[in-house]
Amino acid sequence: MTTEQLYQRYRESGTVSTDTRNIIPNSIFFALKGERFNANEFAAQALESGAKWAVVDEAKYAVDERYILVADVLSTLQDLARYHRRQLNIPIIGITGTNGKTTTKELLYAVLSQRFKTYATKGNLNNHIGVPLTLLSIDDSIEMAVIEMGANHQQEIAFLCDIALPTHGLITNVGKAHLEGFGSFDGVKKAKGELYDFLKMQDGVLFLQGDNEYLREMEMQRGISKTVRYGFSSENDIVGRLEYANPLLCISWKTDDTKDVHVVQTQLTGTYNIENILAAIAVGHFFGIDDIRINHGVEGYTPTNNRSQITKTVHNTVIADYYNANVSSMEAALANIAVIEAVYKVIILGDMFELGEDAWIEHRRVVDRALAVEAKRTIFVGEAFYAQRNPKAEFYKTTDDAKEALRERPVVDSTVLLKASRGMAFEKLMEAL
C-alpha cells in the first residue's frame, strides 16, 4: 500500500492509535516495536477493541483485509505524518532547546488560543514517535500548531523538521544536557541549531532570545533574514522586565515601537521563565493578537507536571521542579531561589542524569553554586552528589534517606526548592514537607 492509499484510510478514520489500552474507535492502529515490546502481537486485540485497521510489519499477523502489511511500522507512521503535514496550509511553530521547551509550548498555546484554534504537542510527545502522532492529531479545523521537538543526538531535530516542516521556530536556550549523546556543549549547539538550519533553508521566521549570546551567535552564523527578537535589552522587538517574584512572577513588557508598558501577573515562578513568557508574547504579537488578549493568555496559564509548580503544603511553600534536571536548569533554579522573597529558604537538589564523563565536575559545580545561596538548609540527594559531600550541607545517598531525615528534622514555614532528574522520584519528599 502506498502512502497516498494509506492516507485515504487515515482520512476516513480521522485518527491513529498506538496503545491497545487506549484504542480510539475506527482508528488505524500502528503496531510499533520497542526494546521490550512488539505491538504486532497485540494487533488483533486492537481490532477487537475498536480499531478499524491495523498496520503491522510481520506477515504472520496479517491474517485478513483489516491488516495493512508494511516493511516498517515506525517509518510508515512517519511517512504518513509527513504526507499529512504537506496537506496542511497552516503556520507551524517548532520549539526546541535545553530547558523550558514544554513551558514555552504551553505558554504559546495559551496566547495563540486567544485568537486562533490552536493545537500543541500533548505532554512530552516530542520525539520521532511523538511528533508524527502530534501531526496526525491535527484536523482541518486547526488554524495554527505548536510542535515541541526534543533530541539527545545529532540530526534528530533535522529529522523532526523534515516531518513537521515548521514555518516558524524558536530555541529556548542551549545548555549542558544529554552530554552523553551530544558529546559536548558545542555538540548541543550544533544539534539544536538544526532548527535554525531548516528555517534558513525554508525562509522561515525565527523568534530569538536576543540577549542570549549563544543563540545570537548561532543565528548570525546562518544569516536568517526574518527574525523577531525578545529579551531584556532595548535592542529587542519585545522588551521585558521583572517587577517582582514573591514567588510568583510579575513582569512588564513593551514593544520597541511604543511607550505603552503592559504589566502581567503570572502563575509561574522562576526568573528563568521570564524569557519563556516573552517568547509567547513575541509570537502572539507577531501574529496580530492584541495586547489585552496576550496578557489574558499569559495570566491564565498555570504550570503542571512538577515544572516550576508552586505547591502549598500544610507547613511550607514548595517549588516542585523535579520533572527533569541538568546543569543549566539547576543553575537557573538556584538563581531564582536566590531572588525570591522568603523568610526561610530550603534547597533540596537531586542527582542529574545523562552527563557522561562530565558528571563529577558538573555536580561539584552545582554544589558550589547552591552553597553560595543563603538558605536555612541545603540538602543534596543521590550517589553523584554524595560523592561531593562536605560539612557545609546535608548529603544523602537516596531519596528515601532524605525523606527520613526530613521527618526527623521537619522543615516548616519555609519556601522549599525541590529540583532533580525525574529518576530521583522527588515526589516522595512532598510527603515530608
Side-chain angles (χ1 to χ4, degrees):
M1 182 176 290
T2 66
T3 300
E4 291 81 359
Q5 290 171 326
L6 180 59
Y7 187 69
Q8 290 306 311
R9 295 199 179 184
Y10 161 76
R11 295 292 291 181
E12 291 173 25
S13 67
T15 188
V16 301
S17 297
T18 59
D19 189 339
T20 54
R21 296 168 297 183
N22 301 293
I23 292 296
I24 303 170
N26 296 316
S27 62
I28 303 178
F29 175 73
F30 282 80
L32 297 171
K33 293 178 180 177
E35 292 182 4
R36 299 179 181 177
F37 66 91
N38 179 1
N40 281 269
E41 300 171 359
F42 305 105
Q45 180 183 336
L47 293 170
E48 291 171 5
S49 298
K52 191 171 184 179
W53 292 289
V55 179
V56 298
D57 50 18
E58 294 183 24
K60 64 181 179 180
Y61 295 103
V63 296
D64 60 43
E65 69 279 356
R66 297 175 299 167
Y67 296 85
I68 301 170
L69 181 63
V70 300
D72 181 82
V73 171
L74 176 57
S75 295
T76 300
L77 176 69
Q78 293 164 341
D79 290 343
L80 181 64
R82 186 183 288 109
Y83 189 91
H84 178 53
R85 167 61 183 108
R86 281 162 171 75
Q87 317 311 309
L88 299 171
N89 186 28
I90 62 172
I92 286 189
I93 305 165
I95 297 179
T96 190
T98 301
N99 305 309
K101 292 186 296 296
T102 299
T103 299
T104 303
K105 170 207 67 180
E106 292 176 353
L107 281 164
L108 260 65
Y109 175 79
V111 169
L112 292 171
S113 295
Q114 298 298 308
R115 178 175 174 182
F116 304 100
K117 186 166 184 184
T118 307
Y119 192 89
T121 300
K122 305 297 184 185
N124 62 343
L125 293 175
N126 62 9
N127 63 6
H128 62 294
I129 297 174
V131 169
L133 291 176
T134 297
L135 290 167
L136 290 168
S137 298
I138 299 174
D139 61 33
D140 293 337
S141 70
I142 299 300
E143 299 173 293
M144 189 171 296
V146 183
I147 306 295
E148 180 181 335
M149 302 177 182
N152 53 26
H153 290 86
Q154 305 291 342
Q155 294 301 307
E156 285 186 270
I157 298 298
F159 180 75
L160 296 177
C161 283
D162 182 63
I163 296 175
L165 302 180
T167 54
H168 304 70
L170 67 91
I171 299 176
T172 56
N173 49 53
V174 286
K176 295 177 179 178
H178 302 298
L179 295 180
E180 286 180 330
F182 292 130
S184 65
F185 180 48
D186 285 339
V188 174
K189 291 190 290 184
K190 181 179 179 182
K192 301 299 183 184
E194 290 164 12
L195 175 58
Y196 285 6
D197 294 334
F198 186 86
L199 292 174
K200 168 67 174 178
M201 181 176 60
Q202 299 295 323
D203 197 28
V205 177
L206 168 65
F207 299 97
L208 177 73
Q209 209 289 46
D211 300 320
N212 186 307
E213 61 177 312
Y214 300 121
L215 297 181
R216 281 203 320 271
E217 176 190 4
M218 291 162 61
E219 181 235 5
M220 291 177 63
Q221 288 173 345
R222 292 161 176 84
I224 298 174
S225 60
K226 299 177 181 178
T227 302
V228 178
R229 291 171 168 78
Y230 60 90
F232 307 99
S233 62
S234 59
E235 292 79 16
N236 291 294
D237 300 301
I238 300 294
V239 181
R241 187 179 75 175
L242 172 67
E243 296 297 325
Y244 58 80
N246 64 349
L248 296 180
L249 301 173
C250 179
I251 73 162
S252 60
W253 65 275
K254 65 182 290 294
T255 60
D256 65 342
D257 57 356
T258 179
K259 294 181 179 179
D260 295 336
V261 176
H262 312 281
V263 178
V264 186
Q265 174 61 62
T266 79
Q267 301 304 308
L268 282 161
T269 188
T271 51
Y272 46 85
N273 273 317
I274 300 175
E275 55 194 70
N276 300 332
I277 296 167
L278 293 177
I281 291 170
V283 172
H285 189 267
F286 176 85
F287 282 106
I289 301 176
D290 66 67
D291 302 337
I292 294 175
R293 287 185 177 182
I294 288 174
N295 282 5
H296 189 263
V298 172
E299 290 169 347
Y301 170 65
T302 302
T304 57
N305 298 326
N306 302 312
R307 288 182 169 94
S308 303
Q309 187 173 341
I310 296 288
T311 301
K312 296 278 190 179
T313 68
V314 174
H315 301 292
N316 301 288
T317 297
V318 181
I319 303 172
D321 195 3
Y322 46 81
Y323 183 87
N324 201 358
N326 53 57
V327 180
S328 303
S329 65
M330 280 284 194
E331 291 178 346
L334 290 168
N336 177 61
I337 193 73
V339 301
I340 280 180
E341 301 169 10
V343 177
Y344 300 114
K345 301 176 185 179
V346 173
I347 297 170
I348 307 176
L349 306 181
D351 277 358
M352 304 171 288
F353 300 154
E354 297 184 58
L355 292 181
E357 60 184 22
D358 292 329
W360 192 94
I361 191 170
E362 297 298 354
H363 279 84
R364 165 61 65 185
R365 183 174 299 169
V366 170
V367 169
D368 292 341
R369 177 69 183 86
L371 292 176
V373 178
E374 186 175 345
K376 187 177 182 181
R377 290 173 71 178
T378 303
I379 300 170
F380 299 95
V381 186
E383 295 282 353
F385 273 131
Y386 193 77
Q388 315 293 334
R389 60 191 182 278
N390 67 57
K392 296 180 181 179
E394 301 172 47
F395 291 81
Y396 303 98
K397 283 189 175 181
T398 70
T399 301
D400 287 335
D401 291 342
K403 180 179 176 180
E404 183 62 28
L406 290 170
R407 290 198 184 283
E408 292 177 359
R409 291 180 56 208
V411 171
V412 296
D413 301 326
S414 299
T415 295
V416 184
L417 170 63
L418 285 184
K419 179 73 176 172
S421 284
R422 181 68 192 89
M424 292 301 295
F426 257 30
E427 64 272 13
K428 293 180 182 179
L429 300 184
M430 291 295 294
E431 302 168 14
L433 294 170

